[in-house]
């Protein structure tokens, strides 16, 4: 069976799906970043903002631009994944590995959106390619390429440091590579890496290292094990129960004997390289599993582990990969039915999601020359989504109606001023209307009206259930 046509059809389907799916919360939040150019941001480094800006400049329409940006990162990822597979296995198996990767639920569905993981995975794919080339050749000149791709990945998301640490650990414990870490090229590569990540370090220095403090503060903010089961379940779904089943079934062969870590052969065999890659996948998974015991770890954070797992499974199980892909394809069809016709129902509810574009005109009716209208929302995702559909900045409460501890709270402080003047009108989208909140709003505004005809129809249920409140004529000057 020819694999290329299948991969091509899957990519075409994925591209079509990209324009049926409405903009999602995190994606829309990152879209805001391009409106505030910076070397870095509180939540993550600035790579996603820079890439989004380039694609929006080319394609003009924001959602079109960022969805094509996501698709472009996938194509680059597949290019390096395939080239890496050719280094350690046959062309036929390399094609199956590429197909396996495309069939991973996260890659096929969630990866449609443009989030920080998409450039991270792309640059990690380049990193793996040169890491495998180095393992096979022991040429220390490859350290520069490793440094380049690692630096670009760091500018996408800090979690690439876990992968870099795992690669470094493999080189340290293997006597065949230990001396290479003392080479001139390794020192030069470290300097190059420092130069590449300097924009993020400089921005953090200027802002009291707010980004690093923010992420460190999240560790230990939940009870032991509270999020662990949720994390494991999400991993099974995102990577596919099929993939997990075969990994468990053949885990002895995939990890091999422990002597592969410190093997003494002059020239590594392909299977030994693949076992090192499998170790890196397990390494990434284990780190996030441990973190899940003390903080909320979202399922997509482990996405870079799909690269080494795909390479390892195809190389070590070449006689099984075709069967695995058939079952992966079956599970993907099952997910298409679920996502397309129930739950998010992106096929059935497509017209409903398109109604969000009518919000621009509906909200415009509320604007008057006498009293300006400012728009607020109390969640970073709904702020991003409303900013996209309404084509105006949507503000995050920072004063009397501030909700502490929400994602993006510190970032919006850099961007927005929520000071209101006496007589101002606001439109407030909130996910939780309580009697206490209404009473408080009435203390600050002459009139509060719930607008049931205004709806934000999005995939996220906790946002879609929100309501619009029209708050007229602020009683006094105050910071909302």
């Amino acid at each position: 069976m020819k694999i290329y046509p299948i991969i091509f059809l899957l990519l075409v389907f994925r591209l079509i799906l990209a324009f049926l799916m409405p903009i999602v919360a995190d994606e829309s939040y990152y879209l805001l970043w391009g409106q505030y150019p910076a070397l870095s941001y509180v939540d993550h480094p600035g790579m996603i903002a820079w890439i989004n800006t380039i694609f929006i400049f080319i394609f003009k329409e924001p959602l079109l631009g960022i969805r094509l940006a996501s698709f472009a990162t996938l194509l680059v990822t597949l290019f390096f994944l395939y080239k890496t597979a050719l280094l350690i296995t046959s062309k036929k198996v390399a094609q199956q590995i590429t197909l396996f990767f495309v069939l991973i639920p996260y890659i096929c569905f969630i990866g449609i959106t443009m989030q920080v993981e998409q450039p991270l995975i792309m640059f990690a794919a380049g990193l793996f390619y040169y890491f495998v080339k180095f393992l096979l050749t022991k040429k220390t000149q490859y350290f520069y390429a490793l440094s380049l791709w690692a630096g670009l990945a760091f500018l996408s998301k800090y979690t690439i440091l876990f992968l870099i640490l795992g690669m470094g650990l493999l080189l340290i414990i293997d006597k065949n590579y230990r001396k290479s870490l003392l080479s001139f090229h390794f020192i030069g590569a470290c300097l190059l890496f420092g130069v590449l990540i300097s924009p993020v370090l400089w921005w953090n220095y200027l802002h009291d290292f707010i980004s690093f403090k923010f992420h460190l503060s999240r560790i230990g903010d939940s009870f032991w094990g509270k999020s662990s089961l949720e994390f494991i379940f999400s991993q099974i779904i995102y990577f596919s129960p099929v993939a997990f089943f075969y990994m468990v079934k053949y885990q002895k062969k995939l990890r091999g004997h422990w002597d592969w870590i410190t093997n003494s052969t002059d020239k590594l065999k392909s299977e030994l390289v693949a076992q090192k890659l499998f170790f890196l996948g397990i390494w990434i998974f284990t780190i996030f599993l441990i973190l899940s015991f003390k903080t909320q770890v979202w399922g997509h954070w482990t996405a870079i582990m799909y690269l080494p797992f795909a390479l390892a499974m195809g190389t070590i199980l070449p006689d099984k990969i075709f069967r695995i892909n058939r079952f992966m394809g079956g599970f993907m069809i099952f997910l298409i039915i679920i996502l397309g016709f129930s739950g998010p129902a992106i096929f059935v509810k497509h017209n409903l999601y398109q109604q969000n574009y009518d919000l621009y005109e509906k909200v415009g009716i509320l604007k008057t020359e006498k009293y300006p209208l400012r728009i607020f929302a109390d969640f970073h995702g709904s702020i991003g989504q409303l900013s996209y559909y309404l084509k105006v900045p949507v503000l995050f409460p920072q004063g009397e109606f501030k909700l502490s501890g929400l994602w993006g709270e510190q970032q919006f402080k850099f961007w927005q001023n929520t000071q209101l003047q006496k007589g101002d009108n606001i439109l407030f989208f909130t996910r939780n209307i309580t009697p206490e909140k209404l009473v408080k709003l009435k203390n600050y505004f002459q009139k509060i009206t719930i607008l049931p005809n205004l709806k934000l129809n999005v995939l996220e249920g906790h946002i879609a259930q929100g309501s619009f409140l029209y708050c007229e004529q602020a009683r006094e000057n105050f910071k909302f």
Side-chain angles (χ1 to χ4, degrees):
M1 180 183 295
K2 292 185 178 180
I3 301 301
Y4 289 133
I6 298 176
I7 296 175
F8 176 77
L9 289 175
L10 283 171
L11 292 178
V12 170
F13 168 76
R14 187 184 183 278
L15 192 59
I16 294 172
L17 200 61
F19 298 106
L20 292 177
M21 183 181 293
I23 193 166
V24 300
D26 284 349
E27 178 184 38
S28 65
Y29 173 54
Y30 299 134
L31 182 59
L32 291 176
W33 293 13
Q35 301 174 21
Y36 305 93
L39 293 176
S40 188
Y41 300 86
V42 175
D43 305 272
H44 302 292
M47 181 62 73
I48 189 169
W50 309 334
I51 294 177
N52 281 348
T53 299
I54 293 171
F55 275 80
I56 292 173
F57 176 78
I58 296 172
F59 298 100
K60 308 307 178 185
E61 208 289 318
L63 185 58
L64 171 66
I66 62 177
R67 290 289 166 82
L68 289 176
S70 176
F71 189 71
T73 62
L74 175 63
L75 294 181
V76 176
T77 299
L78 295 179
F79 170 77
F80 277 108
L81 178 69
Y82 180 68
K83 286 192 65 176
T84 306
L86 288 177
L87 294 175
I88 54 178
T89 189
S90 67
K91 183 177 180 180
K92 181 179 179 181
V93 174
Q95 293 173 6
Q96 291 285 352
I97 288 173
T98 307
L99 176 59
F100 173 87
F101 189 80
V102 176
L103 289 172
I104 293 173
Y106 173 85
I107 300 300
C108 195
F109 296 106
I110 302 174
I112 286 171
T113 62
M114 184 57 173
Q115 303 189 46
V116 291
E117 273 70 30
Q118 277 55 67
L120 174 68
I121 295 170
M122 175 179 67
F123 295 128
L127 180 60
F128 275 111
Y129 173 69
Y130 286 101
F131 183 68
V132 171
K133 292 201 78 170
F134 171 71
L135 290 179
L136 294 171
T137 65
K138 299 180 185 176
K139 293 181 178 179
T140 55
Q141 293 91 331
Y142 284 123
F143 279 135
Y144 296 109
L146 286 168
S147 179
L148 172 64
W149 290 98
L152 293 172
F154 182 90
L155 294 176
S156 302
K157 194 173 184 181
Y158 300 131
T159 52
I160 193 63
L161 292 176
F162 296 144
L163 176 57
I164 296 172
L165 182 62
M167 289 178 169
L169 181 63
L170 282 178
L171 299 184
I172 290 173
I173 62 179
D174 191 330
K175 64 181 181 182
N176 290 298
Y177 302 101
R178 202 174 299 148
K179 291 183 180 180
S180 66
L181 299 179
L182 301 175
S183 69
F184 171 81
H185 294 304
F186 178 76
I187 297 172
C190 290
L191 293 175
L192 174 60
F193 180 75
V195 171
L196 288 170
I197 69 173
S198 61
V200 173
L201 299 180
W202 178 249
W203 183 90
N204 272 278
Y205 171 75
L206 294 177
H207 297 91
D208 194 31
F209 298 98
I210 187 173
S211 183
F212 301 144
K213 290 179 180 178
F214 165 69
H215 287 288
L216 289 174
S217 68
R218 299 187 68 247
I219 300 176
D221 63 356
S222 64
F223 295 110
W224 277 99
K226 178 183 177 181
S227 304
S228 298
L229 288 178
E230 179 185 347
F231 167 75
I232 293 172
F233 178 77
S234 67
Q235 297 307 297
I236 294 173
I237 298 299
Y238 283 18
F239 188 38
S240 171
V242 175
F244 264 99
F245 171 79
Y246 279 96
M247 279 181 55
V248 173
K249 183 176 181 179
Y250 296 106
Q251 55 89 20
K252 288 186 178 180
K253 186 171 178 59
L254 286 167
R255 64 178 170 82
H257 299 292
W258 289 113
D259 60 359
W260 61 262
I261 298 180
T262 58
N263 73 86
S264 58
T265 56
D266 293 331
K267 186 176 181 180
L268 288 176
K269 296 179 181 178
S270 295
E271 189 168 307
L272 294 176
V273 173
Q275 286 169 347
K276 288 179 182 290
L277 294 175
F278 184 72
F279 165 81
L280 289 174
I282 294 295
W283 169 266
I284 295 166
F285 176 83
T286 303
I287 287 179
F288 283 109
L289 176 62
I290 293 172
L291 288 175
S292 74
F293 282 98
K294 285 301 292 175
T295 190
Q296 178 74 56
V297 176
W298 299 105
H300 58 277
W301 290 5
T302 61
I304 54 175
M305 77 179 184
Y306 304 148
L307 292 162
F309 278 155
L311 291 164
M313 291 181 71
T315 304
I316 300 173
L317 305 172
D319 56 330
K320 304 291 190 305
I321 191 65
F322 176 75
R323 181 191 302 174
I324 294 173
N325 282 342
R326 280 195 303 172
F327 287 115
M328 291 278 284
F331 184 69
M332 190 190 74
I333 293 173
F334 170 74
L335 286 181
I336 290 172
I337 295 172
I338 296 298
L339 297 176
F341 298 97
S342 66
I346 57 178
F347 300 149
V348 177
K349 296 181 180 179
H350 178 66
N351 291 333
L352 180 66
Y353 296 135
Q354 289 297 106
Q355 292 177 14
N356 290 327
Y357 291 97
D358 298 334
L359 286 172
Y360 177 74
E361 293 184 1
K362 290 180 179 179
V363 170
I365 298 174
L366 302 175
K367 297 179 181 179
T368 65
E369 293 184 4
K370 186 176 181 181
Y371 296 111
L373 177 70
R374 303 178 76 185
I375 303 172
F376 288 83
D378 56 8
F379 183 64
H380 76 281
S382 53
I383 290 174
Q385 290 163 324
L386 286 171
S387 295
Y388 169 70
Y389 290 118
L390 297 177
K391 304 177 184 178
V392 296
V394 176
L395 308 176
F396 189 90
Q398 296 174 14
E400 296 297 325
F401 292 86
K402 172 184 175 181
L403 296 175
S404 299
L406 294 181
W407 192 275
E409 172 195 352
Q410 298 186 66
Q411 184 62 67
F412 284 106
K413 290 180 182 178
F414 285 99
W415 296 341
Q416 300 176 344
N417 177 16
T418 64
Q419 182 67 37
L420 295 180
Q421 304 299 317
K422 184 177 181 180
D424 282 354
N425 300 335
I426 72 164
L427 183 65
F428 184 27
F429 181 80
T430 178
R431 297 180 298 155
N432 185 25
I433 298 180
T434 62
E436 293 79 13
K437 182 177 290 186
L438 289 175
V439 169
K440 187 175 182 180
L441 283 168
K442 289 177 181 177
N443 290 334
Y444 285 92
F445 294 92
Q446 298 284 353
K447 184 179 180 182
I448 308 297
T449 306
I450 299 176
L451 304 176
N453 293 328
L454 282 184
K455 290 290 184 182
L456 179 59
N457 302 302
V458 291
L459 295 178
E460 299 86 358
H462 63 283
I463 297 177
Q465 294 173 3
S467 301
F468 285 94
L469 304 177
Y470 184 40
C471 309
E472 299 179 67
Q473 300 186 39
R475 298 179 184 274
E476 59 186 59
N477 299 343
F478 74 99
K479 191 172 185 179
F480 193 86

